[in-house]
């Protein structure tokens, strides 16, 4: 049930002196887009009459007719860093066609379809995320660099952690926007940070990740930094991941990953769900790790998973099944990074997990120590695995799958033609 009605939105806009509303949505690559309207257009927005040119958005250019932004009223929030007189608010939107049907290339709708399937099976997925990011200095022109003057490491404080004031303001802005922030701290590498917020249902978690990235990048700019979620911005140090935590609840609100009758408290359903993810993990790697740089992070020696495996204890495996702080059982998937589209990543994980439950899959669990499979080692391999996995392609839909492969093949082809500084340093002087 929705938290807000149309009248609630109109009342809040008037009470809060809102002058502009940003209608936000993501493209198929997870990039947040928006169109701003004044409050004079609010009635049209609330009646789903706000039209935009989808042909201008990559991946949305094959439609016939106009596209419309349909706001999710429960995502209404004031943007706290904008002026306090004539405030700016935002609404996250679904994309629909002229006849009111959901648009095939709307990744938020892809996730909603999988959530609906889970609901029919009697399940609700709770998702938590841990998004790491770097805060780098900007140059004299305000352009981003990969330089930093700080020397911080895990849980350091100032002056070693020079980003603590920016991180503090990020937390304050997030809480003003309705987030419940559980912790924030300096991460492992120099200039690397992490902010963890409370988990939520699958759709809200994807919404929150998209919003979180906007808040972090905007706040960093206010402090003279450039925030990047690039998976591996520096050679020789840890990359930045987006670990996802899953709990699955039944209609009674019970965590079905937990079986208190078992010594390890892990239910058969938890194993089935894990097996479903492991069976399709190579096919969904293109979604989890969508750019060339993603694969510079997924290498041995830097606390990132490389093998398709799971564990109840080892912290460096792809999937870890563990006891949560509330005493229940949760799964942690460690391969995704924040260059991904969170809606597609969560949709693929949920769909694969549900298939594991429906078919009571266990082979990937049992074979954990008998066979060693490796995650795709580069973008080309990930594309090939995605093309082979018809199940994952069906989850995202034909239009997104086609556009994603087309764009990523082009990206890989362009990359292969580049001559890197490493090649110049290795070969120019001696060949």
């Amino acid at each position: 049930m929705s938290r807000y009605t149309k009248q609630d939105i109109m009342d809040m806009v008037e009470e809060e002196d809102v002058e502009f509303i940003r209608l936000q949505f993501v493209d198929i690559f997870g990039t947040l887009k928006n169109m701003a309207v004044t409050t004079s257009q609010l009635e049209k927005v609330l009646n789903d009459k706000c039209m935009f040119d989808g042909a201008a958005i990559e991946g949305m250019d094959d439609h016939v007719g106009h596209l419309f932004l349909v706001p999710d009223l429960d995502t209404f929030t004031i943007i706290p860093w904008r002026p306090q007189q004539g405030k700016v608010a935002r609404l996250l939107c679904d994309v629909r066609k002229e006849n009111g049907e959901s648009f095939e290339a709307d990744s938020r709708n892809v996730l909603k379809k999988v959530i609906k399937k889970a609901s029919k099976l009697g399940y609700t997925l709770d998702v938590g995320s841990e998004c790491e990011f770097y805060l780098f200095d900007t140059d004299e022109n305000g352009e981003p660099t990969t330089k930093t003057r700080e020397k911080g490491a895990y849980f350091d404080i100032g002056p070693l952690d020079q980003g603590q004031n920016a991180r503090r303001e990020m937390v304050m802005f997030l809480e003003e926007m309705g987030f419940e922030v559980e912790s924030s701290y300096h991460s492992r590498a120099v200039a690397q940070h992490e902010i963890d917020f409370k988990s939520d249902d699958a759709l809200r978690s994807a919404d929150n990740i998209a919003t979180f990235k906007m808040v972090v990048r905007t706040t960093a700019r206010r402090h003279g930094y450039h925030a990047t979620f690039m998976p591996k911005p520096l050679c020789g140090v840890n990359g930045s991941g987006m670990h996802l935590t899953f709990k699955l609840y039944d209609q009674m609100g019970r965590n079905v990953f937990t079986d208190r009758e078992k010594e390890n408290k892990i239910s058969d359903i938890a194993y089935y769900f894990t097996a479903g993810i492991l069976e399709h993990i190579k096919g969904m790697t293109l979604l989890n790790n969508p750019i060339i740089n993603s694969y510079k992070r997924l290498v041995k020696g830097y606390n990132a998973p490389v093998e398709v495996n799971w564990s109840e204890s080892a912290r460096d495996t792809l999937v870890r099944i563990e006891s949560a702080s509330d005493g229940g059982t949760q799964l942690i998937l460690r391969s995704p990074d924040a260059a991904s589209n969170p809606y597609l990543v969560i949709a693929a994980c949920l769909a694969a997990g549900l298939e594991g439950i429906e078919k009571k899959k266990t082979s990937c669990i049992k074979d954990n120590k008998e066979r060693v499979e490796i995650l795709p080692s580069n973008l080309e391999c990930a594309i090939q695995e995605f093309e082979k996995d018809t199940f994952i392609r069906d989850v995202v839909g034909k239009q997104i799958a086609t556009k994603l492969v087309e764009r990523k093949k082009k990206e890989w082809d362009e990359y292969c033609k580049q001559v890197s500084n490493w090649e110049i340093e290795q070969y120019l002087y001696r060949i």
Side-chain angles (χ1 to χ4, degrees), residues 44-252:
K44 183 171 77 171
V45 169
L46 296 178
N47 288 321
D48 306 339
K49 301 297 183 183
C50 191
M51 186 175 66
F52 78 104
D53 182 11
I57 308 296
E58 188 175 7
M60 293 187 176
D61 53 3
D62 285 344
H63 72 280
V64 178
H66 302 298
L67 292 178
F68 292 81
L69 295 176
V70 177
D72 182 334
L73 304 187
D74 288 347
T75 65
F76 179 87
T77 186
I78 305 296
I79 297 179
W81 58 85
R82 300 300 295 164
Q84 292 307 294
Q85 287 187 331
K87 295 178 183 177
V88 179
R90 79 88 194 264
L91 284 161
L92 285 167
C93 300
D94 295 320
V95 181
R96 292 190 189 161
K97 296 186 286 189
E98 202 165 6
N99 61 5
E101 293 179 357
S102 297
F103 181 52
E104 295 86 348
D106 178 16
S107 54
R108 195 171 190 266
N109 179 60
V110 169
L111 177 55
K112 289 171 78 171
K113 285 168 61 178
V114 183
I115 291 171
K116 186 175 181 180
K117 178 182 178 181
S119 179
K120 287 181 178 179
L121 294 172
Y123 298 122
T124 300
L125 184 69
D126 182 271
V127 182
S129 61
E130 299 175 3
C131 295
E132 296 170 312
F133 58 94
Y134 277 85
L135 288 180
F136 290 127
D137 296 337
T138 54
D139 64 20
E140 60 275 10
N141 297 317
E143 295 297 319
T145 73
T146 54
K147 297 178 181 178
T148 179
R149 290 159 289 177
E150 72 144 63
K151 303 296 180 184
Y154 254 141
F155 305 118
D156 271 337
I157 61 173
L160 289 175
D161 176 8
Q162 293 187 11
Q164 64 179 0
N165 289 336
R167 203 172 62 240
R168 172 179 164 274
E169 189 170 55
M170 291 170 191
V171 170
M172 292 173 62
F173 284 154
L174 287 167
E175 291 193 332
E176 286 184 55
M177 296 181 76
F179 284 67
E180 183 179 333
V181 177
E182 295 184 333
S183 63
S184 68
Y185 51 90
H186 197 290
S187 197
R188 181 186 298 257
V190 170
Q192 190 180 39
H193 302 263
E194 184 172 323
I195 299 173
D196 298 334
F197 44 91
K198 191 175 184 298
S199 62
D200 210 327
D201 68 79
L203 183 63
R204 293 297 165 228
S205 291
D207 289 342
N208 288 344
I209 292 168
T211 301
F212 172 76
K213 290 164 67 176
M214 174 186 70
V215 172
V216 167
R217 291 172 66 87
T218 302
T219 309
R221 178 65 67 171
R222 288 164 57 91
H223 286 260
Y225 294 114
H226 173 71
T228 180
F229 292 91
M230 183 177 175
K232 188 81 167 185
L234 297 172
C235 181
V237 299
N238 279 38
S240 293
M242 185 182 76
H243 298 175
L244 295 178
T245 302
F246 302 122
K247 296 177 190 173
L248 195 66
Y249 293 94
D250 63 15
Q251 292 173 322
M252 301 295 291

Side-chain angles (χ1 to χ4, degrees), residues 346-413:
I346 295 173
C349 289
L350 177 55
L354 291 175
E355 187 198 41
I357 293 172
E358 288 182 290
K359 296 184 178 180
K360 296 185 177 181
K361 294 180 181 244
T362 58
S363 59
C364 291
I365 296 290
K366 291 178 179 178
D367 294 345
N368 192 49
K369 295 180 180 179
E370 299 174 10
R371 60 174 183 167
V372 177
E373 288 196 55
I374 305 297
L375 289 173
S377 59
N378 57 50
L379 186 62
E380 182 182 41
C381 293
I383 294 169
Q384 292 169 353
E385 292 293 343
F386 179 76
E387 289 184 306
K388 287 192 294 185
D389 196 325
T390 56
F391 177 83
I392 295 299
R393 292 207 320 274
D394 286 344
V395 170
V396 302
K398 182 178 180 181
Q399 185 163 338
I400 289 180
T402 301
K403 281 293 179 182
L404 194 60
V405 168
E406 180 183 296
R407 162 73 179 271
K408 292 305 168 179
K409 282 184 174 180
K410 181 180 179 182
E411 188 175 335
W412 177 253
D413 183 59

